[in-house]
Amino acid sequence: GAVVSQHPSRVICKSGTSVKIECRSLDFQATTMFWYRQFPKQSLMLMATSNEGSKATYEQGVEKDKFLINHASLTLSTLTVTSAHPEDSSFYICSARSGGAINEQFFGPGTRLTVL
Amino acid sequence: AQSVTQLGSHVSVSEGALVLLRCNYSSSVPPYLFWYVQYPNQGLQLLLKYTTGATLVKGINGFEAEFKKSETSFHLTKPSAHMSDAAEYFCAVSEGGFNKFYFGSGTKLNVKP
């Protein structure tokens, strides 16, 4: 099946710094990528949808200036948490959707962000 | 609008017993429905999905689910629980195909020896 990777798997940073998380589709081209956030012991909440080459669409309540999303190619999307604060600590999961005949959504393994 | 309700945040069964995890959804369009499993500190693994066609869907690890439109339900079952089934399970609905996913709050399954 299709594989989506995320890097890093874990990151610890100081408050006020920025952190970049990469999401890659390894064996298919992803026309659309999604970013989710999962708080401890809670469900996944969709943060934004990004289409290659265009601006991301953010869900209500998600700060676009705080969570910068770039989908520069059909295999890579990045999420940058700017000026991170402890409340940004969370598990971030991306997913990628292929187009064409295999129009499915595949999830990455997630990135655990801890902001000190 | 789409939403998913999973009844029971925690379910405990004995090894070998039937597993039943409940999921009800609301959707303004024909839904695509999914069940995912998540082990601690890991991503989501797809168990099974319903898109169109046969309403009884079989997935991996002996799980299956039945789409019941009249009841707006997509409950997950497994005839005989195994210790390795202990994990958190999420039901999800997507709008208009494999677009935005809306997840339920999750059900943590505990399997007792």
PDB file of all heavy atoms in Angstrom, chain A residues 4 6 23 32-36 93-97 105-108:
ATOM      1  N   VAL A   4       3.146   6.981   3.685  1.00  0.00           N
ATOM      2  CA  VAL A   4       3.351   8.387   4.010  1.00  0.00           C
ATOM      3  C   VAL A   4       4.296   8.450   5.202  1.00  0.00           C
ATOM      4  O   VAL A   4       4.095   7.766   6.202  1.00  0.00           O
ATOM      5  CB  VAL A   4       2.015   9.073   4.360  1.00  0.00           C
ATOM      6  CG1 VAL A   4       2.254  10.516   4.799  1.00  0.00           C
ATOM      7  CG2 VAL A   4       1.082   9.033   3.147  1.00  0.00           C
ATOM      8  N   GLN A   6       6.636  10.901   7.999  1.00  0.00           N
ATOM      9  CA  GLN A   6       6.746  12.192   8.657  1.00  0.00           C
ATOM     10  C   GLN A   6       8.106  12.291   9.323  1.00  0.00           C
ATOM     11  O   GLN A   6       8.633  11.314   9.859  1.00  0.00           O
ATOM     12  CB  GLN A   6       5.655  12.364   9.722  1.00  0.00           C
ATOM     13  CG  GLN A   6       4.288  12.671   9.167  1.00  0.00           C
ATOM     14  CD  GLN A   6       3.254  12.951  10.231  1.00  0.00           C
ATOM     15  OE1 GLN A   6       2.234  12.286  10.298  1.00  0.00           O
ATOM     16  NE2 GLN A   6       3.500  13.954  11.078  1.00  0.00           N
ATOM     17  N   CYS A  23       6.003  16.107   5.780  1.00  0.00           N
ATOM     18  CA  CYS A  23       5.132  14.988   5.441  1.00  0.00           C
ATOM     19  C   CYS A  23       5.399  14.625   3.988  1.00  0.00           C
ATOM     20  O   CYS A  23       5.281  15.476   3.101  1.00  0.00           O
ATOM     21  CB  CYS A  23       3.673  15.389   5.618  1.00  0.00           C
ATOM     22  SG  CYS A  23       2.463  14.139   5.114  1.00  0.00           S
ATOM     23  N   THR A  32      -3.474  16.230  -2.659  1.00  0.00           N
ATOM     24  CA  THR A  32      -3.954  16.928  -1.473  1.00  0.00           C
ATOM     25  C   THR A  32      -3.343  16.307  -0.226  1.00  0.00           C
ATOM     26  O   THR A  32      -3.226  15.089  -0.139  1.00  0.00           O
ATOM     27  CB  THR A  32      -5.495  16.836  -1.360  1.00  0.00           C
ATOM     28  OG1 THR A  32      -6.084  17.297  -2.570  1.00  0.00           O
ATOM     29  CG2 THR A  32      -6.002  17.681  -0.198  1.00  0.00           C
ATOM     30  N   MET A  33      -2.940  17.168   0.687  1.00  0.00           N
ATOM     31  CA  MET A  33      -2.453  16.686   1.979  1.00  0.00           C
ATOM     32  C   MET A  33      -3.238  17.374   3.082  1.00  0.00           C
ATOM     33  O   MET A  33      -3.672  18.515   2.941  1.00  0.00           O
ATOM     34  CB  MET A  33      -0.962  16.937   2.134  1.00  0.00           C
ATOM     35  CG  MET A  33      -0.108  16.004   1.267  1.00  0.00           C
ATOM     36  SD  MET A  33       1.654  16.217   1.559  1.00  0.00           S
ATOM     37  CE  MET A  33       2.325  14.814   0.689  1.00  0.00           C
ATOM     38  N   PHE A  34      -3.414  16.667   4.174  1.00  0.00           N
ATOM     39  CA  PHE A  34      -4.179  17.160   5.305  1.00  0.00           C
ATOM     40  C   PHE A  34      -3.304  17.124   6.559  1.00  0.00           C
ATOM     41  O   PHE A  34      -2.496  16.217   6.730  1.00  0.00           O
ATOM     42  CB  PHE A  34      -5.413  16.278   5.540  1.00  0.00           C
ATOM     43  CG  PHE A  34      -6.323  16.130   4.347  1.00  0.00           C
ATOM     44  CD1 PHE A  34      -6.061  15.169   3.377  1.00  0.00           C
ATOM     45  CD2 PHE A  34      -7.426  16.948   4.186  1.00  0.00           C
ATOM     46  CE1 PHE A  34      -6.892  15.021   2.270  1.00  0.00           C
ATOM     47  CE2 PHE A  34      -8.265  16.801   3.090  1.00  0.00           C
ATOM     48  CZ  PHE A  34      -7.998  15.838   2.137  1.00  0.00           C
ATOM     49  N   TRP A  35      -3.513  18.088   7.412  1.00  0.00           N
ATOM     50  CA  TRP A  35      -2.801  18.113   8.693  1.00  0.00           C
ATOM     51  C   TRP A  35      -3.820  18.046   9.828  1.00  0.00           C
ATOM     52  O   TRP A  35      -4.796  18.796   9.852  1.00  0.00           O
ATOM     53  CB  TRP A  35      -1.955  19.382   8.816  1.00  0.00           C
ATOM     54  CG  TRP A  35      -0.735  19.331   7.964  1.00  0.00           C
ATOM     55  CD1 TRP A  35      -0.577  19.835   6.707  1.00  0.00           C
ATOM     56  CD2 TRP A  35       0.521  18.723   8.298  1.00  0.00           C
ATOM     57  NE1 TRP A  35       0.692  19.576   6.241  1.00  0.00           N
ATOM     58  CE2 TRP A  35       1.381  18.904   7.197  1.00  0.00           C
ATOM     59  CE3 TRP A  35       0.998  18.041   9.423  1.00  0.00           C
ATOM     60  CZ2 TRP A  35       2.692  18.424   7.191  1.00  0.00           C
ATOM     61  CZ3 TRP A  35       2.295  17.572   9.417  1.00  0.00           C
ATOM     62  CH2 TRP A  35       3.137  17.763   8.317  1.00  0.00           C
ATOM     63  N   TYR A  36      -3.541  17.120  10.749  1.00  0.00           N
ATOM     64  CA  TYR A  36      -4.396  16.911  11.902  1.00  0.00           C
ATOM     65  C   TYR A  36      -3.592  17.135  13.177  1.00  0.00           C
ATOM     66  O   TYR A  36      -2.378  16.954  13.209  1.00  0.00           O
ATOM     67  CB  TYR A  36      -4.951  15.481  11.926  1.00  0.00           C
ATOM     68  CG  TYR A  36      -5.847  15.130  10.769  1.00  0.00           C
ATOM     69  CD1 TYR A  36      -5.324  14.720   9.546  1.00  0.00           C
ATOM     70  CD2 TYR A  36      -7.233  15.188  10.903  1.00  0.00           C
ATOM     71  CE1 TYR A  36      -6.147  14.381   8.484  1.00  0.00           C
ATOM     72  CE2 TYR A  36      -8.063  14.851   9.841  1.00  0.00           C
ATOM     73  CZ  TYR A  36      -7.518  14.452   8.646  1.00  0.00           C
ATOM     74  OH  TYR A  36      -8.342  14.115   7.603  1.00  0.00           O
ATOM     75  N   ILE A  93      -0.435  14.785  12.926  1.00  0.00           N
ATOM     76  CA  ILE A  93      -0.497  13.705  11.941  1.00  0.00           C
ATOM     77  C   ILE A  93      -0.878  14.286  10.591  1.00  0.00           C
ATOM     78  O   ILE A  93      -1.809  15.093  10.495  1.00  0.00           O
ATOM     79  CB  ILE A  93      -1.531  12.637  12.351  1.00  0.00           C
ATOM     80  CG1 ILE A  93      -1.157  12.001  13.687  1.00  0.00           C
ATOM     81  CG2 ILE A  93      -1.665  11.561  11.276  1.00  0.00           C
ATOM     82  CD1 ILE A  93      -2.183  10.983  14.181  1.00  0.00           C
ATOM     83  N   CYS A  94      -0.167  13.876   9.572  1.00  0.00           N
ATOM     84  CA  CYS A  94      -0.542  14.297   8.228  1.00  0.00           C
ATOM     85  C   CYS A  94      -1.150  13.124   7.475  1.00  0.00           C
ATOM     86  O   CYS A  94      -0.972  11.964   7.852  1.00  0.00           O
ATOM     87  CB  CYS A  94       0.656  14.835   7.451  1.00  0.00           C
ATOM     88  SG  CYS A  94       1.805  13.564   6.888  1.00  0.00           S
ATOM     89  N   SER A  95      -1.881  13.441   6.453  1.00  0.00           N
ATOM     90  CA  SER A  95      -2.362  12.411   5.547  1.00  0.00           C
ATOM     91  C   SER A  95      -2.250  12.945   4.128  1.00  0.00           C
ATOM     92  O   SER A  95      -2.192  14.153   3.908  1.00  0.00           O
ATOM     93  CB  SER A  95      -3.810  12.013   5.855  1.00  0.00           C
ATOM     94  OG  SER A  95      -4.684  13.065   5.551  1.00  0.00           O
ATOM     95  N   ALA A  96      -2.180  12.023   3.202  1.00  0.00           N
ATOM     96  CA  ALA A  96      -2.022  12.403   1.807  1.00  0.00           C
ATOM     97  C   ALA A  96      -3.034  11.649   0.975  1.00  0.00           C
ATOM     98  O   ALA A  96      -3.271  10.459   1.188  1.00  0.00           O
ATOM     99  CB  ALA A  96      -0.600  12.085   1.336  1.00  0.00           C
ATOM    100  N   ARG A  97      -3.614  12.358   0.035  1.00  0.00           N
ATOM    101  CA  ARG A  97      -4.592  11.734  -0.850  1.00  0.00           C
ATOM    102  C   ARG A  97      -4.055  11.719  -2.265  1.00  0.00           C
ATOM    103  O   ARG A  97      -3.588  12.745  -2.774  1.00  0.00           O
ATOM    104  CB  ARG A  97      -5.911  12.498  -0.822  1.00  0.00           C
ATOM    105  CG  ARG A  97      -7.032  11.792  -1.581  1.00  0.00           C
ATOM    106  CD  ARG A  97      -8.285  12.618  -1.602  1.00  0.00           C
ATOM    107  NE  ARG A  97      -8.130  13.788  -2.470  1.00  0.00           N
ATOM    108  CZ  ARG A  97      -9.039  14.748  -2.568  1.00  0.00           C
ATOM    109  NH1 ARG A  97     -10.140  14.687  -1.866  1.00  0.00           N
ATOM    110  NH2 ARG A  97      -8.846  15.770  -3.376  1.00  0.00           N
ATOM    111  N   GLN A 105      -6.984   8.199   1.005  1.00  0.00           N
ATOM    112  CA  GLN A 105      -6.219   9.023   1.915  1.00  0.00           C
ATOM    113  C   GLN A 105      -5.395   8.106   2.809  1.00  0.00           C
ATOM    114  O   GLN A 105      -5.933   7.161   3.387  1.00  0.00           O
ATOM    115  CB  GLN A 105      -7.162   9.898   2.745  1.00  0.00           C
ATOM    116  CG  GLN A 105      -6.484  11.094   3.375  1.00  0.00           C
ATOM    117  CD  GLN A 105      -7.460  12.040   4.069  1.00  0.00           C
ATOM    118  OE1 GLN A 105      -7.174  12.463   5.165  1.00  0.00           O
ATOM    119  NE2 GLN A 105      -8.576  12.355   3.455  1.00  0.00           N
ATOM    120  N   PHE A 106      -4.099   8.397   2.904  1.00  0.00           N
ATOM    121  CA  PHE A 106      -3.182   7.577   3.684  1.00  0.00           C
ATOM    122  C   PHE A 106      -2.547   8.435   4.764  1.00  0.00           C
ATOM    123  O   PHE A 106      -2.136   9.570   4.506  1.00  0.00           O
ATOM    124  CB  PHE A 106      -2.107   6.979   2.771  1.00  0.00           C
ATOM    125  CG  PHE A 106      -2.684   6.136   1.654  1.00  0.00           C
ATOM    126  CD1 PHE A 106      -2.902   6.695   0.407  1.00  0.00           C
ATOM    127  CD2 PHE A 106      -3.010   4.814   1.859  1.00  0.00           C
ATOM    128  CE1 PHE A 106      -3.452   5.943  -0.627  1.00  0.00           C
ATOM    129  CE2 PHE A 106      -3.554   4.053   0.836  1.00  0.00           C
ATOM    130  CZ  PHE A 106      -3.781   4.612  -0.405  1.00  0.00           C
ATOM    131  N   PHE A 107      -2.435   7.875   5.967  1.00  0.00           N
ATOM    132  CA  PHE A 107      -1.960   8.645   7.104  1.00  0.00           C
ATOM    133  C   PHE A 107      -0.498   8.377   7.407  1.00  0.00           C
ATOM    134  O   PHE A 107      -0.003   7.250   7.283  1.00  0.00           O
ATOM    135  CB  PHE A 107      -2.802   8.314   8.343  1.00  0.00           C
ATOM    136  CG  PHE A 107      -4.166   8.936   8.306  1.00  0.00           C
ATOM    137  CD1 PHE A 107      -5.194   8.350   7.587  1.00  0.00           C
ATOM    138  CD2 PHE A 107      -4.419  10.131   8.954  1.00  0.00           C
ATOM    139  CE1 PHE A 107      -6.455   8.930   7.528  1.00  0.00           C
ATOM    140  CE2 PHE A 107      -5.677  10.724   8.911  1.00  0.00           C
ATOM    141  CZ  PHE A 107      -6.692  10.125   8.194  1.00  0.00           C
ATOM    142  N   GLY A 108       0.177   9.432   7.837  1.00  0.00           N
ATOM    143  CA  GLY A 108       1.541   9.303   8.305  1.00  0.00           C
ATOM    144  C   GLY A 108       1.581   8.794   9.729  1.00  0.00           C
ATOM    145  O   GLY A 108       0.542   8.700  10.391  1.00  0.00           O
TER     146      GLY A 108
END
